[in-house]
Each structure stands twice: as structure tokens, then as C-alpha cells.
Amino acid sequence: MIIRKTSHRPSIAYRPIGPSDLEILQQLHADLFPIRYESEFFQNVVNRHDIISWGAVDRSRPSAQRDELIGFVTIKTVLARESEITDLIRYDSSRSDQTLVYILTLGVVESYRNFGIASALIREVTRYAKTIPTCRAAYLHVISYNTPAMYLYKKMSFTCVRRLYGFYLIHGQHYDAYLFVYYVNGGRSPCSPLELAVGAVNYLRTTLKSVVGRLWRYDDKKPWRCRESCGIITPSQSKRNLVNEGSTEFQCV
């Protein structure tokens, strides 16, 4: 199917997402993402149960459609100590109130892309994160083949800090993900140039040991299997799995 760009110059406005958006929000997620989201997720979004959201609408459309979503972003505030990135934000264990903003989903209808809508929605998120005194960063995951999304977040000053192997499980197949972070309110990466160099050396040393170990086991004709541990990351992303394979994550990229 050919998706044509909207023929008129849109007049984009942004507003919170509410109960009247439930049906179109579900449809947009089904159209834009390979992951299926549970109905509870959408109920939490439209009723603002622990999830904050912004929607984009085109006020220049006919009256029946002028308030219909053509873009959205959903986020959740989480405690830093309960997140997976405490090692990436110089977490202060004496400050148990430190928080992070996690971007759950972001999408724009294809015919409305390249109008700056996604960038505007991301700016809403970063502005919001800055208004929370305890917040140290906004972060998200991008599937490895989504090059446009990675380019967008880099353009918006997000830093790619980690690669997660086998992070997504979609239709029985694993896909890697990249972790992006936007630091706010004094939050910053714990990596100095020296720490980065040490991390690189340790990574290469671990990889070399792994290769040697595999060759040794092969020579001994012993069976070898790669061990992996999978875990659900967030309740709203129940189809997404994190896999650590031989601790091959490299931080501070």
C-alpha cells in the first residue's frame, strides 16, 4: 500500500491524551509497532494512571478529524534505584528519591512525518523531565534496525550508551536494542575518558577469554551451550525480553 503525504500544510497542536483517544491510540500502536500492547497499557495511558502522554493533532483537518491523533508519546516516571541504568547516571545511593523518565512509546502517522512532530514530542518529554527536581535523565530503547529513530534521538541530543543483545523478542526472533539517555538536572554519564579506555580493554579481554574458552571446549569435544537469562523489563512492554549473552554489553559508547 502506498502512503501519500498529507496534501495540505498541517496546523499541528499538542495536547494531553484522554479517554476519547482510546480507539485511535490502540489502532496507531497496532499500525506502527511490531509489539502487541495489552489493553491495560492503553487504559493507563488515557486515564493517566502512572503514565503521562502528549498527542499531536492537525487543526487544519475537517472538523470531524481535527482532534484525531496523528502522533503521540507516552512516558513513565520511575525510581532511579529500580531502573536498569543506575550505573549510567552517577546514581547517589543516599538520595533514594532520584527519578528517571522512561519513554514507553513514540509514533507519528506516516503521512505526517518530516513535519517535526516527533522532535516536538521529544522536546515535550525533555522539558517535562527538567521540571522534576529529582529527575536525572530521560531514557528509552530503540530496536537495532530502526535507523531513522536512532538518527532522530541523536539529533535531539540523546546519547547512545549501551547495546543490549537479544533485548526484543518478536514472533520468536530476538533483536538487539540500543539504549539512549538524555541527561537533565545535573545527571551525567559516569564515564570519564580513562573509564572509557578501561571499559574497552576489559571488554576486549572478556571477549578474548570467551573465544579461547570456546576453542578449548571444542578441542576437548565437550558440548557447549550459550547460557542466556531473559527477563521482562516493564509491565507495559510484556513482549520485550532482555538477554545477557556472556556479559557482552559495552557501556559508555
Side-chain angles (χ1 to χ4, degrees):
M1 181 176 68
I2 299 176
I3 304 295
R4 292 184 174 84
K5 195 174 183 64
T6 182
S7 59
H8 64 280
R9 183 66 186 177
S11 176
I12 306 299
Y14 302 90
R15 61 169 178 77
I17 294 174
S20 63
D21 299 308
L22 178 60
E23 186 175 347
I24 184 64
L25 187 68
Q26 290 175 314
Q27 185 60 54
L28 290 177
H29 277 72
D31 292 343
L32 296 175
F33 302 126
I35 298 173
R36 178 178 174 271
Y37 292 85
E38 304 296 335
S39 59
E40 181 184 3
F41 167 73
F42 298 107
Q43 289 293 336
N44 288 339
V45 173
V46 300
N47 293 301
R48 303 168 194 170
H49 291 161
D50 297 325
I51 295 179
I52 298 168
S53 61
W54 291 268
V57 297
D58 181 3
R59 299 300 191 192
S60 64
R61 298 174 83 183
S63 57
Q65 297 178 302
R66 67 189 309 270
D67 203 44
E68 184 177 288
L69 294 180
I70 49 92
F72 58 86
V73 63
T74 64
I75 66 172
K76 185 179 181 70
T77 302
V78 299
L79 289 173
R81 68 173 183 268
E82 296 177 357
S83 78
E84 64 193 275
I85 66 168
T86 53
D87 60 322
L88 298 174
I89 59 170
R90 291 190 182 272
Y91 174 67
D92 183 355
S93 59
S94 68
R95 293 284 307 278
S96 60
D97 62 339
Q98 287 186 333
T99 60
L100 303 167
V101 166
Y102 182 60
I103 300 179
L104 298 166
T105 61
L106 169 72
V108 176
V109 172
E110 189 166 349
S111 60
Y112 278 89
R113 292 174 187 171
N114 299 315
F115 285 115
I117 297 171
S119 297
L121 290 168
I122 294 172
R123 279 193 291 270
E124 293 286 352
V125 173
T126 55
R127 276 197 294 262
Y128 174 77
K130 291 174 183 177
T131 67
I132 306 174
T134 60
C135 185
R136 294 296 173 263
Y139 74 107
L140 74 149
H141 301 91
V142 178
I143 198 165
S144 58
Y145 60 71
N146 195 343
T147 303
M150 288 188 276
Y151 174 80
L152 171 64
Y153 285 109
K154 288 178 181 178
K155 185 183 75 171
M156 300 300 294
S157 299
F158 279 71
T159 303
C160 183
V161 295
R162 180 173 291 171
R163 180 171 182 168
L164 302 170
Y165 295 93
F167 184 75
Y168 289 99
L169 178 61
I170 302 173
H171 304 308
Q173 183 173 348
H174 287 289
Y175 296 88
D176 296 348
Y178 290 96
L179 176 63
F180 283 81
V181 179
Y182 181 96
Y183 295 100
V184 300
N185 301 331
R188 58 195 177 99
S189 169
C191 296
S192 66
L194 176 60
E195 289 170 323
L196 180 60
V198 171
V201 171
N202 289 337
Y203 172 75
L204 292 174
R205 182 181 298 149
T206 299
T207 302
L208 181 60
K209 287 181 179 179
S210 177
V211 171
V212 172
R214 293 182 188 185
L215 291 175
W216 180 267
R217 282 190 289 269
Y218 177 77
D219 288 339
D220 286 347
K221 296 182 180 181
K222 295 179 180 179
W224 177 83
R225 292 186 301 172
C226 179
R227 293 175 298 178
E228 58 180 32
S229 58
C230 303
I232 302 301
I233 305 305
T234 63
S236 62
Q237 303 273 348
S238 59
K239 298 299 181 183
R240 192 182 64 199
N241 287 345
L242 170 63
V243 181
N244 284 321
E245 297 183 347
S247 299
T248 55
E249 295 179 9
F250 180 54
Q251 302 172 13
C252 314
V253 176

